Amino acid sequence: MAIFHNRPLALACVCFALTSVLLTNVLLPVRLLLTGLALLLFVILLIFCRKNFTALLCLFFVFLSLLSSTLFFGIQYAHAKKLIGETVEVEGFVLDRDYSTPYSGSFRVHVTAVNGEKRAMDAYLETVYSSSLQVGDGFTLTVTARDFEKDGDYEEELYRLSQGELIALTSNERESGRRVGERQNDPRVLLSKWKTRLSYRLYTAIEGREGAIASALLLGDKSFLTGEDDLHFKRSGTSHLLALSGLHVSILIGVFELLMKKLRIPKLIRSVIIPLLAVGYLMITGFALSTVRAVIMACFLYFAFLGRARYDSFTALCAALVLILFITPYAVWDLSLWMSFLAAASIVVFSPVFYRFLEEKLQMLFLPNWLSRAVRGFLTALFVGVIANLGLLLLIALSFREFSLLSVPVTMLLSPVISILLPISALVLMLPRAAVLCKLLAGIVLCVVDRGAAMKDVLLPVAQPITLVFLSLMTLVLILYAVTRMKVKYAVPAVAIFLALGIGSACLSPILQKQKGISVFCMQTHGGELLFFSHGRETVAVDLSSGVETCAGEFKLAADAVGCNEIDDLILSRYYNRSPYLLSSVSERLTVRRVRLPMPQNELERDIAKRLEQEASLHGIEVLYHVEDLAIEELEVLCAVHTPMERDEASLILLSFAAGDEVMTCLNAAMLEGELGSMARAYLYSSDVLLVTRRAKGTHSFPVPETLDRLIVGDEGLTDRILKLPKSAERVVLLHPYQFFLQ
């Protein structure tokens, strides 16, 4: 196919992008050296080999990439890094408000001065108090500059740099700052306020979840969406519909084209008006990179018509990427940028081959014109969905470690609805009476997404090494077919085989995992311990914590560690006033099928159980008051008791699980001292694995049975009170996640 044949500009643009990617972790001195070397080579080539236009163009674009990257990542970032650890006084204004709680705040800000010295850079500001700062507010604050953090798989530096934020600032004292008016004239502030007003107008006109969906689809404002809505779109494989992209731009441009044709506006005038409207839409929606790409390509298309030049979609795509990376070099860290361009490149590169094949086959069938158009439209939509997903599959596997099997069918099903919903949503901004129709269409979208998300095992884990190898080989074949003259008859079978092997290995992984036994994953949170029992695709989670809402984040981390994306049974070991909030927070991150509660023992616990039932019903979760018939048939609960809750004090717990010939017991050390002490000792001495939790620890010292294989302790201080441990037993202080198998 040789996609770069007779496309020197496209090749040069790809060289620019590859250089930007390779430079992401290069230090400033090396960047400066490479920039000078590239310029020198370009001058030499210009003098001695000026006829080699393609080489000259590629080298010049490499130099531009080095220059842009060095100016931002080298010089600006190096200056910002020098502030780390220092307490400084900064002046600036708020660009965006991330979140706010009664105890803290998070903002995206533009710094204009540091210690009275002029300095221009975007930064991330967090306050350890409730701040009243709003978008556009100017401020003077005494802050401490800190380095970016890493928490599990989340790398703060990667995310913040992708937004252009060079440093993190922390304000500890409310009295250290003051507001200094507003920055009404800053373009970013004005555009942010316009977007907020339009989003609120659209949301209030439609109301409810439907209004939130309409606001997200048309304006890219997802602030009205709940975490559970985000989860449902992810599970149904339609998260890309909520991210403004070429789909949204093409639909709106198509509507404007149709209206102008009906009004008999000449194409020459349309070619001027539509790019202006597209840029206006881009400004209102906040310059999302995928939208920027689509608008740039649309402008190239209309400019080609005005200049009577040939439009080449692949060259336009590559040029759009260069423009974005040259102006905002930090976008090289943005995952959404690469997902957008890879999907678009896959469609642009492979569509011509598909169209030729489709035309040949349709001509052989001699179908009526109306039927031929219908078949062509359906197969084209199917191909676009499949090839876009194939192009993204390896990146999705590396980034998210899971892939929705419903992505293509649900996207095809919703595309016609969204094609109508988008222009109707725009109409609602001018004519609120149209909100009724908009609410109906958004309701259809939600119904399809909710039903897809409710299906079991729709998210396929694709993080196994063997799966990644097959997906890498499939991607390599696609690249070779695009850049070389590989024949279709070799490429298509190779892609199909590697894809089948990749998906097959992902499906077989849980089956092979079953042969090892029941996997047990222990994790300590701020409120206590979490247990995840997994066997194949079935997962049982046990919450041994104090029910604090922040544990929901640890639930997701633990689920990612064991490779599960839904919990079949969630066992709450005891009651806390915060338990309903925990359940709600977990449901925004993971699909929970059933929650199993201990039998309430007093009025306080019955009240919490009632609130838990109400909360569970909102999320479609079944509530049971027993621990029988778990999703993992091989896992049996021998004992599950707790002491009655009094006020908000920690209850004592005793749980014992059996899997085959092995028994695992979890208890508080203080359980050995109370009325249930004899029962606790009985289960303790019959256990192969013992977890002594850190919550409500007692003062009793106890011997460990000789048969014990593993002792897991939630608090290092508790190990001093364990009198005897068999030499063969493994002791683990649960300061980090710990995984083992019950045979």
Side-chain angles (χ1 to χ4, degrees), residues 2 20 187 190 198 238 256 283 363 424 426 483 589 628 721 737:
S20 298
L190 289 173
L198 290 174
T238 52
F256 283 125
M283 294 172 66
Q363 288 177 3
I424 298 296
V483 301
R589 294 165 170 84
E628 301 169 358
R721 298 201 299 277

Side-chain angles (χ1 to χ4, degrees), residues 440-494:
L440 174 63
L441 294 170
I444 295 173
V445 173
L446 285 170
C447 180
V448 173
V449 168
D450 289 346
R451 287 182 178 272
M455 296 176 64
K456 186 172 174 59
D457 297 334
V458 294
L459 282 179
L460 183 67
V462 286
Q464 295 296 324
I466 185 65
T467 302
L468 295 176
V469 168
F470 288 132
L471 295 183
S472 299
L473 291 173
M474 180 202 72
T475 305
L476 179 61
V477 172
L478 289 174
I479 294 173
L480 289 176
Y481 176 74
V483 301
T484 67
R485 299 186 181 277
M486 179 184 286
K487 294 183 178 180
V488 176
K489 64 180 181 180
Y490 300 130
V492 172

Side-chain angles (χ1 to χ4, degrees), residues 82 135 193 274 278 307 309 320 387 448 458 481 543 552 566 695 739:
K82 291 179 181 178
V135 175
K193 288 186 175 182
I274 289 182
I387 198 63
V448 173
V458 294
Y481 176 74
D543 174 35
E566 56 187 60
R695 299 293 302 180
Q739 189 170 19

